[in-house]
Amino acid sequence: MPIFKAPLIKALITSSTMLSFSALADDILTNHRSFTGFTGLINTPNAQVLEQGMMDFSYNNQLDLRARTYLDGHNFIFSAGLFEGFEASGLIASSSMHDNLFYKEGEGQTRDLSFNAKYQIPYIPKDWFSVAIGARDLGGAANNYSTYYLSASKQWHNFRLSAGVSKSDTETGQMNGPFAGIEWQVLPWLSLQAEHDAEAVNAAARITIPKELLYNLGTFTLTSRFYSNSDFAEQESFWGINFTMPFSEQNKKQYTKSAPVIAAVNHNENSTYNKNKRVYKSNYKTSKTVNGYSQKAILNNQSNTNKPNVETKLLNTQIRKLKKALLLDGFENIRVAFTRKADVFVEFENPIFNRNDIDAIGLVIGRITEYFDNNSQFNVQLSKQEIPLLTLKGSIKEYKTFIENGIMPKLSIEQGKGKKPTGLVWVGNRANNSPYFKPRVTIGPALSATYATEMGVYDYSLALRADVHIPLWQGAGINVRAQTRVAETEDFEQNKPFYNRKVQNGIDQAVIYQTLALPYNIYNQTQFGLYREYYDHYGLINETAWQSETGRHAINAKLAYFEYKNYLHDRDYHTLSYRYNWSEKNVSFHATAGKFWEEDKGYKLESRFWFGDSYVSLFMSDTEVQQAGIAFSIPLTPRKDMKVTKYGQVTGNKAWRHKVSTRIGESHNQLLNKAAYVTDTAINLNRTFFNQGRLSSSYVNSNMARLKEAYLSYK
């Protein structure tokens, strides 16, 4: 079979002559998602991948029915660029949306969930060519679309040529042998594609709406597969749409990299500090006597007078201005002090930048440089309910240079409580803006969902959840969680298949907790109260965590015991977890082993790929059953929340997580319920105190540009 038939070539040439090459501003080709779930053409891959930190939502109606024939159906695809050169995607293929496959209406239909992965091989010069390897339908029980391939691509002006080899067991022959394709970027918003997928020739046109026309949210693409000579297609044409957008505006790649070393800079004589210093000195010089003493005598013999010296009076004025600014920003438990050497010390707690404490640290240090500009040092300590978490020290002058010129400062960062400077002069006798007995209400969704089951493509039970958290004293507080259902599909109703999985109305948790900071970077938290896990339980959870000085390594031990509220029965679980934080690459690795909620024993592995304050994770577990899946966590609250008033605070969920999983290593794919599961609590060390594992020197040093950007955005 010839790769390109004459009618197809004639159609492409005819359409192309109506367009001008000069309309293309550059030779950058748009990468598109194929109908089968990876970056490519129509059915075939090229050697490109989705850019790191980007995600794509796709839909098309080309259903590959059990790899036997092409019908009008539904394909839903979610893709993510997890790290440089690697993309992963999940695809739901279904004949119908809601037909029950156990009934006659669903006879002969399919509904399948599959996962795909693709990796672009590094170290090949970009001006040579690109090579990628990939796999489709990994791991699941019924691998209808299992495919493995190697592809190579070469760009020439506004064309991209791709070719490769593949292996699959499909009855259609798609991607089972050599394949090839060509992409032509006719205009920045128009692409034409033609391919041979090892079975048939296909052609498509794609129209892309740029992000500038969509409020910079992302790009939207419409696809028409207008030609195919496949012997297995019910119809010649199919269509698709997709939307591509970044995971987070705070993705580290968005920030300008700072210079690595400190350069010599002239002291800013026009700073607030030096301007005020000159004013104070001028005022003292123009005053001949103060209570009978000459100014010269006061300055030269301060031990013989009770008059403040110029520097101390200036420092006192500037430090009070700093404290007022921090209070206006909305920080809590603020204590500020200075030394005779003009070193500045600040203790504070962060209730406003709940998505990431690094934004609060950046704003506080930036505020210090507003009021002080000298060779002195700053010492900033971040705490939570008077539990010291992180201490940062550095030169005020160097940090101001970092803000103004992007030259990296030298910072000393310690876990927990750092050593305070000697000779501190405090502003006020106690901390200002206490966090205690002020309710914090967090609102977000609670979702229970199933995907690609015999009942439907997507079934869900959705509730509105509210957590009311009230700090009581050092390290202690109460938290009450309640929820009310707002919507659900028919299959979650009473006497329906997923009734036991529905989100229940009413109080879900009501606990009191106490957190302690112990020596050697060890923290302990105990909580007791009411927990609902379908049935109501009275429970006790104890958590002990250790983190290395740099924050790369962390160990967490969790012990829990529960008694049924209305039955004479109890249960317990105990787990031991390890986390490695590869901050430079925005990746963290997690391993947990032990006995879980359902009394299943085994382990769970997870890799989290961070993009700002969001992440996508790949996980697998092996307990009584094996499962693998993908999860994501996104903030559902603004980067900066409202200030805490005397009546409290209302925020969104700072880290809402959802996951999709499937069985692996078995011949069937029955739904799993709480395998390798532990109780999800709103209050825990990682979420409440450790900034989701991102409160460490390694994380701060890898995200210095965000420190600067946070101050410039919110100063």
Side-chain angles (χ1 to χ4, degrees):
M1 178 185 295
I3 293 182
F4 300 112
K5 288 189 173 183
L8 172 62
I9 297 175
K10 182 177 180 181
L12 289 176
I13 293 176
T14 301
S15 61
S16 66
T17 55
M18 301 172 64
L19 303 164
S20 172
F21 281 99
S22 61
L24 195 63
D26 50 43
D27 291 339
I28 298 177
L29 272 69
T30 302
N31 293 328
H32 296 287
R33 250 48 61 199
S34 70
F35 279 8
T36 49
F38 35 68
T39 301
L41 289 83
I42 306 150
N43 294 331
T44 63
N46 55 29
Q48 307 305 308
V49 292
L50 194 60
E51 184 182 354
Q52 179 183 6
M54 301 296 290
M55 59 180 172
D56 182 271
F57 302 92
S58 304
Y59 171 83
N60 68 78
N61 72 330
Q62 179 185 277
L63 175 66
D64 188 355
L65 181 64
R66 298 187 181 88
R68 298 172 185 171
T69 185
Y70 304 111
L71 305 174
D72 183 10
H74 308 279
N75 289 322
F76 299 91
I77 306 168
F78 171 74
S79 307
L82 298 185
F83 57 86
E84 187 173 356
F86 181 78
E87 70 175 24
S89 62
L91 183 150
I92 295 175
S94 181
S95 302
S96 62
M97 292 296 293
H98 302 295
D99 289 351
N100 190 321
L101 303 192
F102 291 121
Y103 296 164
K104 187 175 180 61
E105 64 182 8
E107 187 176 344
Q109 295 189 21
T110 189
R111 198 164 287 138
D112 184 81
L113 172 64
S114 60
F115 293 97
N116 313 315
K118 183 180 182 183
Y119 182 61
Q120 186 181 69
I121 298 175
Y123 308 121
I124 299 175
K126 296 295 184 183
D127 56 349
W128 288 12
F129 52 86
S130 301
V131 177
I133 56 175
R136 184 184 177 197
D137 201 0
L138 290 167
N143 302 105
N144 294 319
Y145 308 106
S146 180
T147 303
Y148 300 90
Y149 60 85
L150 181 147
S151 62
S153 297
K154 171 66 178 178
Q155 181 175 332
W156 180 71
H157 296 295
N158 53 338
F159 290 88
R160 182 188 290 135
L161 307 175
S162 299
V165 293
S166 57
K167 172 63 178 175
S168 72
D169 297 324
T170 59
E171 293 186 22
T172 62
Q174 181 196 116
M175 292 293 289
N176 188 25
F179 60 88
I182 182 171
E183 301 169 75
W184 179 19
Q185 188 82 42
V186 184
L187 294 166
W189 51 270
L190 175 65
S191 299
L192 297 179
Q193 300 177 332
E195 68 176 13
H196 184 266
D197 64 11
E199 184 271 325
V201 174
N202 311 296
R206 297 184 185 259
I207 295 175
T208 299
I209 301 175
K211 64 180 182 180
E212 289 76 13
L213 298 180
L214 299 173
Y215 304 98
N216 286 317
L217 295 176
T219 58
F220 184 78
T221 301
L222 301 95
T223 302
S224 171
R225 200 216 72 175
F226 58 83
Y227 174 83
S228 178
N229 65 358
S230 173
D231 296 327
F232 299 91
E234 183 183 73
Q235 59 193 52
E236 185 173 285
S237 63
F238 293 97
W239 61 273
I241 57 175
N242 67 282
F243 183 73
T244 306
M245 64 181 294
F247 275 101
S248 172
E249 293 180 355
Q250 282 72 55
N251 187 1
K252 191 163 71 173
K253 292 185 67 176
Q254 307 294 327
Y255 298 118
T256 303
K257 189 175 181 180
S258 300
V261 295
I262 292 292
V265 294
N266 292 325
H267 194 53
N268 186 356
E269 292 297 326
N270 293 319
S271 69
T272 304
Y273 179 82
N274 283 311
K275 283 181 178 179
N276 290 339
K277 183 176 179 180
R278 289 194 295 269
V279 169
Y280 272 101
K281 286 187 175 181
S282 175
N283 290 340
Y284 270 78
K285 287 178 181 178
T286 57
S287 178
K288 293 183 179 180
T289 62
V290 180
N291 289 351
Y293 293 92
S294 69
Q295 177 64 28
K296 184 176 181 180
I298 294 174
L299 294 175
N300 292 338
N301 192 14
Q302 292 181 21
S303 60
N304 296 324
T305 181
N306 59 0
K307 294 300 171 184
N309 70 37
V310 177
E311 298 291 338
T312 302
K313 189 172 182 179
L314 171 60
L315 287 171
N316 188 61
T317 300
Q318 296 301 96
I319 204 77
R320 290 182 182 277
K321 290 181 178 179
L322 171 62
K323 186 174 185 178
K324 182 179 179 181
L326 297 177
L327 287 169
L328 290 174
D329 286 328
F331 296 115
E332 294 180 325
N333 258 356
I334 300 170
R335 299 187 73 200
V336 296
F338 63 92
T339 69
R340 297 293 180 177
K341 295 180 180 179
D343 295 337
V344 178
F345 180 80
V346 176
E347 285 182 354
F348 78 103
E349 296 185 12
N350 167 41
I352 49 176
F353 292 100
N354 292 300
R355 285 166 50 163
N356 198 332
D357 285 320
I358 197 172
D359 292 335
I361 294 170
L363 181 57
V364 169
I365 302 178
R367 286 277 186 245
I368 293 174
T369 66
E370 285 183 25
Y371 298 98
F372 300 89
D373 183 12
N374 47 38
N375 291 318
S376 302
Q377 302 290 306
F378 65 81
N379 187 315
V380 171
Q381 181 175 291
L382 171 67
S383 301
K384 184 77 171 182
Q385 294 176 231
E386 298 183 78
I387 301 293
L389 299 174
L390 198 69
T391 301
L392 300 92
K393 304 174 185 177
S395 165
I396 297 175
K397 182 178 178 180
E398 286 184 4
Y399 199 89
K400 189 175 184 68
T401 302
F402 167 60
I403 292 175
E404 294 176 345
N405 303 318
I407 300 174
M408 192 73 75
K410 298 175 183 177
L411 295 181
S412 172
I413 305 175
E414 301 176 57
Q415 293 295 134
K417 187 175 183 178
K419 184 178 179 181
K420 295 180 181 178
T422 58
L424 287 175
V425 179
W426 294 96
V427 179
N429 296 323
R430 57 187 177 86
N432 290 86
N433 202 7
S434 171
Y436 301 122
F437 298 99
K438 297 176 182 177
R440 325 298 169 97
V441 180
T442 300
I443 297 175
L447 176 66
S448 177
T450 62
Y451 298 86
T453 70
E454 289 81 0
M455 308 301 153
V457 170
Y458 179 61
D459 282 292
Y460 67 89
S461 176
L462 176 65
L464 183 65
R465 171 179 287 172
D467 281 277
V468 181
H469 174 219
I470 304 177
L472 299 179
W473 56 78
Q474 183 179 13
I478 59 175
N479 190 87
V480 179
R481 171 191 287 177
Q483 55 204 21
T484 181
R485 281 190 309 277
V486 295
E488 64 184 11
T489 55
E490 181 181 352
D491 290 322
F492 276 88
E493 295 176 356
Q494 191 167 6
N495 300 322
K496 295 295 183 176
F498 303 137
Y499 176 74
N500 289 345
R501 294 171 175 263
K502 73 186 305 176
V503 181
Q504 296 173 290
N505 287 328
I507 294 178
D508 186 61
Q509 291 179 13
V511 302
I512 183 170
Y513 68 92
Q514 176 67 61
T515 308
L516 302 173
L518 305 175
Y520 307 109
N521 295 335
I522 298 175
Y523 295 80
N524 180 270
Q525 183 182 89
T526 301
Q527 56 180 281
F528 170 81
L530 176 70
Y531 302 86
R532 177 189 288 169
E533 293 289 352
Y534 189 74
Y535 297 105
D536 288 339
H537 302 76
Y538 293 117
L540 176 72
I541 301 176
N542 182 267
E543 183 180 5
T544 302
W546 167 85
Q547 184 167 271
S548 67
E549 193 61 42
T550 62
R552 292 195 183 278
H553 308 277
I555 297 174
N556 182 289
K558 187 174 289 189
L559 306 173
Y561 174 80
F562 300 88
E563 290 186 353
Y564 286 80
K565 180 181 177 182
N566 300 316
Y567 303 93
L568 292 176
H569 189 64
D570 58 60
R571 67 170 66 207
D572 65 275
Y573 63 77
H574 48 267
T575 61
L576 183 66
S577 302
Y578 169 77
R579 187 216 71 214
Y580 178 78
N581 199 350
W582 192 5
S583 301
E584 294 79 4
K585 297 297 183 180
N586 300 311
V587 181
S588 59
F589 302 97
H590 306 253
T592 302
K595 176 184 175 183
F596 298 92
W597 173 262
E598 292 290 345
E599 300 184 353
D600 50 331
K601 298 178 181 179
Y603 65 88
K604 178 179 179 180
L605 304 176
E606 182 175 5
S607 298
R608 296 180 181 177
F609 304 90
W610 287 89
F611 310 102
D613 301 323
S614 305
Y615 69 75
V616 175
S617 79
L618 303 177
F619 65 89
M620 67 86 60
S621 66
D622 186 354
T623 54
E624 302 300 321
V625 295
Q626 293 180 327
Q627 66 170 334
I630 185 170
F632 65 87
S633 174
I634 56 174
L636 299 179
T637 194
R639 187 177 177 188
K640 184 179 181 182
D641 286 317
M642 64 173 286
K643 299 177 186 178
V644 181
T645 70
K646 63 180 180 180
Y647 303 107
Q649 180 190 42
V650 178
T651 68
N653 192 328
K654 64 182 178 183
W656 184 75
R657 177 179 165 116
H658 190 60
K659 68 177 183 177
V660 181
S661 64
T662 184
R663 287 178 184 254
I664 57 176
E666 298 187 36
S667 59
H668 63 87
N669 195 16
Q670 294 179 2
L671 287 180
L672 295 169
N673 188 30
K674 296 185 176 179
Y677 170 82
V678 296
T679 303
D680 177 30
T681 57
I683 301 295
N684 57 63
L685 289 177
N686 185 64
R687 180 186 179 94
T688 311
F689 290 88
F690 293 160
N691 196 34
Q692 300 184 75
R694 299 173 297 166
L695 204 57
S696 64
S697 61
S698 62
Y699 182 79
V700 172
N701 286 326
S702 298
N703 291 271
M704 289 295 297
R706 180 165 176 174
L707 284 178
K708 170 184 173 181
E709 184 272 341
Y711 168 68
L712 295 177
S713 298
Y714 296 101
K715 65 179 182 178

